[in-house]
Amino acid sequence: MTVSHDELVDYVDAEDRFVRTGPRGGAGEHRLHYRTAATVLVTGRRDVLVYRRPAAAKVYPGHHNVLVGGTARAGETYRAAARRELAEELGISPVQREVLKLRRESPIGPCHLAVYLAELPARLEPDSAEIDRYEVLPVISVLSNPPQPFIPDGLDVLRRLFS
């Protein structure tokens, strides 16, 4: 994995305690974790936003997901990172509530993931560099027959929230 020296992130230990700041993508080589935050967007009818990552994405190209989010920057809280990612990727800023915090393995190393839930707004402005296309599907159909390929963490979170 290429380390980005342009963006700094906090490296944390297995218990999510701050250790030091370093370049994005570099925590794993120091046997440390990094922080990520994502939001699942749902409707009152138990439908969920499912999106497909662009074919040119560095991580999980062409995969579907329900987790809209990414890496927290140095000094950024999980909630602030989740809000920033929603604004960058979909042009929205809904009210969120934290529903899960998990320790995960990612393609670039171990991380802590904070998951938020928010009501899906009527209007989205997706960033084509992050989201190739999207649709709103019943949670039950995503769990029983997810579009393929699908990012495993997204399905795991859906199961934890809705099974």
Side-chain angles (χ1 to χ4, degrees), residues 74-97:
E76 190 174 43
T77 65
Y78 285 106
R79 184 174 299 279
R83 284 184 186 141
R84 176 181 50 76
E85 291 287 346
L86 283 174
E88 290 174 359
E89 295 183 17
L90 291 170
I92 60 173
S93 57
V95 174
Q96 305 159 283
R97 72 179 165 92

Side-chain angles (χ1 to χ4, degrees), residues 44-152:
R45 298 184 320 256
R46 289 183 51 107
D47 294 332
V48 64
L49 177 86
V50 177
Y51 71 93
R52 187 174 72 192
R53 295 179 52 76
K58 292 179 183 176
V59 179
Y60 291 117
H63 282 62
H64 295 83
N65 201 4
V66 295
L67 299 173
V68 179
T71 302
R73 295 177 179 159
E76 190 174 43
T77 65
Y78 285 106
R79 184 174 299 279
R83 284 184 186 141
R84 176 181 50 76
E85 291 287 346
L86 283 174
E88 290 174 359
E89 295 183 17
L90 291 170
I92 60 173
S93 57
V95 174
Q96 305 159 283
R97 72 179 165 92
E98 186 176 317
V99 291
L100 290 171
K101 197 171 269 184
L102 308 165
R103 197 166 49 188
R104 311 300 286 177
E105 284 297 324
S106 82
I108 59 173
C111 67
H112 294 275
L113 168 64
V115 179
Y116 294 84
L117 201 58
E119 182 73 22
L120 177 66
R123 182 171 157 81
L124 303 174
E125 296 175 18
D127 176 355
S128 61
E130 299 287 341
I131 295 175
D132 181 45
R133 67 179 179 151
Y134 69 90
E135 57 190 323
V136 179
L137 299 171
V139 169
I140 193 161
S141 71
V142 176
L143 288 172
S144 62
N145 188 26
Q148 294 298 314
F150 209 98
I151 297 175

